[in-house]
Amino acid sequence: MAKIIHFPQDFLWGSATSAYQVEGGIENSDWSRIFPAGLACDHYRLYEKDFDLLKELSQNAYRFSIEWSRIEPTEGRFNEKEIEHYRRVLKALRERGVKSMVTLHHFTLPLWLARRGGFANSQSVFYFSRFAEKMFKEYGEIVDFWVTLNEPLIYATVMAPLLKKKNGLGLPDLPAILLTIKNEISAHRKTHEVFHRLAKESKTAVYVGIAKNNAYFVPFNPKSFLDRLAVGLCRYFWNGYFLDRIKDRLDFIGLNYYFHHQIKFPFFLKQKKKLISDLGWEVFPEGIYHALLELKKYQLPIYITENGVADAEDKLREEFIEGHLSWIGRAIEEEVDVRGYFHWSLIDNFEWDKGFGPRFGLIEIDYETMERKIRPSAREYAKISRENKLVQ
Ligand code: FCB
């Protein structure tokens, strides 16, 4: 007999992107010279078309990021033309009845800040909150959800060190990583505080969260004390540490779920992979359930802010989405307060240091013609969104 999973009323069904990966024409960021994305998906120009497709796919929410280097190309000078651009983007979503989730930092920084050490410089807390405050003053009334930082730990441990080395700004070092994390925590806390103060003054509602990359860690040998200890440490440092430091300044938790790791003390173990994506990443839907249960203790609303698969031929995506949604449904049954799902990604895009190869989109992009083509799995996802239920 078919199993039916009903999702809560007002559940958000959406997809996510980030500015550098889709917009095109970003020239002043720390990524621009070393990993140029060129025109990317030309989303900067074609956003209305993309939102029409999003609507056609029955989605009611969209997560995207504002490119800081467009808004503040030189320190302290805000670019009005770009501010108007994102106002039009937000309005286009409103006109279509789509809820917006806006990320303020999704891996890219204006070059001027990168040259001053980026988030490793304690002044970044001031710079970031000044930029964030400006964004709130401009768009506070037309944004539904704010995400301060995307995957702060991936940023601090992988992206920032990679950029630093490639940009010739010095070698990655542990103190810089730790300072980055420290300043990210302060930047988030400050932004939450400022947004709530301003919202109170202007009597607007405000929801400020984070997009946190948590993984599902399991011991390679459940009987081994050391393997279990290693798992405990990973859970504490990778999944819990950052959230524990901001939990009193969070209106919701955004979960980016991609990974399941089996740990054999003291090393990470490569998976015995059953199903793998084009990037070699394991597909393990059950992990999202465990990652969600780990978040239950925070007693906060949770949105899945990212979950997706590199799958150019669209062979895995439908099963991937249904598998994850089914485990999310199980977590909801166990009273985890999940309120929405944003698939990564709406459209194929520029996958950071890996370039245009990996295809994460519900919609395929032809980079020659910029034509958009809806993948079959996207239609299946649309059916689930439309009916607010999953039939298995
Ligand atoms: C996440 C990033 C996102 C995208 C996906 C595949 O870690 O937040 O920008 O690259 O991975």
Side-chain angles (χ1 to χ4, degrees):
M1 228 178 52
K3 191 178 171 217
I4 303 180
I5 299 169
H6 293 273
F7 287 85
Q9 224 189 334
D10 301 326
F11 198 78
L12 295 188
W13 293 105
S15 48
T17 62
S18 88
Y20 195 72
Q21 293 178 275
V22 298
E23 283 185 358
I26 295 173
E27 279 159 16
N28 272 316
S29 88
D30 50 353
W31 285 79
S32 307
R33 269 160 240 181
I34 30 176
F35 295 109
L39 255 195
C41 313
D42 207 7
H43 181 70
Y44 186 81
R45 217 169 44 85
L46 299 176
Y47 65 91
E48 286 185 288
K49 192 170 178 178
D50 290 337
F51 296 165
D52 287 340
L53 292 172
L54 181 134
K55 268 309 265 187
E56 189 182 327
L57 291 172
S58 302
Q59 297 180 26
N60 58 18
Y62 180 58
R63 174 178 172 229
F64 69 101
S65 73
I66 291 181
E67 178 58 33
W68 185 356
S69 68
R70 283 193 193 278
I71 301 283
E72 196 181 351
T74 36
E75 202 254 283
R77 295 233 181 111
F78 295 105
N79 182 321
E80 287 305 321
K81 202 178 120 256
E82 299 291 12
I83 290 175
E84 285 318 305
H85 169 77
Y86 288 108
R87 198 187 312 284
R88 285 194 296 275
V89 170
L90 285 161
K91 282 194 177 149
L93 290 171
R94 275 272 149 123
E95 277 159 24
R96 289 165 179 77
V98 174
K99 294 250 191 278
S100 55
M101 185 177 274
V102 173
T103 310
L104 291 166
H105 178 253
H106 198 126
F107 294 165
T108 56
L109 287 180
L111 201 50
W112 59 263
L113 180 51
R115 288 194 175 125
R116 294 178 199 180
F119 270 106
N121 177 346
S122 61
Q123 277 289 94
S124 62
V125 178
F126 164 76
Y127 294 133
F128 179 78
S129 51
R130 181 176 63 180
F131 158 65
E133 177 168 346
K134 175 78 177 159
M135 295 299 89
F136 186 83
K137 286 186 170 153
E138 294 290 343
Y139 312 129
E141 298 201 340
I142 44 172
V143 169
D144 295 292
F145 301 90
W146 296 94
V147 168
T148 52
L149 308 169
N150 180 67
E151 302 192 346
L153 293 192
I154 290 281
Y155 178 70
T157 60
V158 182
M159 299 308 199
L162 172 80
L163 285 174
K164 193 173 167 193
K165 202 166 134 209
K166 294 261 181 182
N167 263 322
L169 296 172
L171 288 174
D173 56 277
L174 188 62
I177 292 177
L178 298 178
L179 280 172
T180 300
I181 297 172
K182 178 173 173 275
N183 293 329
E184 285 177 311
I185 291 170
S186 306
H188 171 88
R189 295 188 62 86
K190 177 110 206 274
T191 304
H192 185 278
E193 184 196 312
V194 171
F195 279 29
H196 275 268
R197 181 172 38 78
L198 294 175
K200 209 167 160 193
E201 281 166 21
S202 62
K203 297 196 173 65
T204 31
V206 66
Y207 301 97
V208 186
I210 189 118
K212 184 65 181 56
N213 53 291
N214 279 11
Y216 175 42
F217 295 102
V218 286
F220 177 73
N221 174 4
K223 292 207 184 101
S224 151
F225 171 74
L226 286 177
D227 288 6
R228 280 188 282 125
L229 177 74
V231 165
L233 290 172
C234 288
R235 283 197 187 144
Y236 176 74
F237 284 110
W238 195 254
N239 289 351
Y241 180 84
F242 201 95
L243 288 174
D244 289 344
R245 263 134 208 93
I246 60 170
K247 63 185 177 197
D248 57 321
R249 291 234 160 258
L250 267 182
D251 305 320
F252 65 90
I253 298 175
L255 170 66
N256 287 9
Y257 172 76
Y258 292 96
F259 295 109
H260 161 232
H261 299 295
Q262 269 180 320
I263 310 289
K264 184 164 171 52
F265 185 84
F267 304 107
F268 275 58
L269 200 82
K270 278 215 169 253
Q271 304 296 310
K272 290 182 224 97
K273 294 166 185 160
K274 288 196 188 119
L275 209 55
I276 54 162
S277 76
D278 294 350
L279 276 175
W281 299 0
E282 184 198 16
V283 176
F284 191 72
E286 183 186 331
I288 202 166
Y289 161 79
H290 298 282
L292 283 169
L293 282 193
E294 251 182 74
L295 296 176
K296 193 174 170 182
K297 62 172 186 231
Y298 294 104
Q299 300 277 311
L300 286 165
I302 299 173
Y303 294 88
I304 309 300
T305 35
E306 278 182 41
N307 174 236
V309 62
D311 177 23
E313 288 173 29
D314 208 36
K315 284 188 298 210
L316 302 174
R317 198 171 282 102
E318 180 183 337
E319 193 185 326
F320 179 98
I321 293 175
E322 292 182 358
H324 285 82
L325 287 176
S326 152
W327 283 102
I328 292 168
R330 171 126 173 228
I332 294 173
E333 263 168 39
E334 292 178 29
E335 283 164 22
V336 183
D337 187 6
V338 187
R339 301 196 184 175
Y341 176 85
F342 292 81
H343 189 76
W344 184 272
S345 173
L346 176 66
I347 47 185
D348 285 339
N349 59 56
F350 182 78
E351 180 53 26
W352 306 113
D353 52 322
K354 298 183 187 66
F356 287 106
R359 301 281 184 152
F360 276 92
L362 290 165
I363 298 169
E364 185 184 339
I365 302 273
D366 178 334
Y367 292 110
E368 296 278 300
T369 60
M370 290 300 165
E371 234 173 286
R372 274 77 170 134
K373 201 163 121 203
I374 294 178
R375 292 199 162 99
S377 57
R379 303 266 181 212
E380 294 305 315
Y381 178 45
K383 186 161 181 279
I384 301 167
S385 324
R386 200 163 49 241
E387 298 178 349
N388 205 33
K389 69 177 188 219
L390 169 67
V391 183
Q392 275 188 316

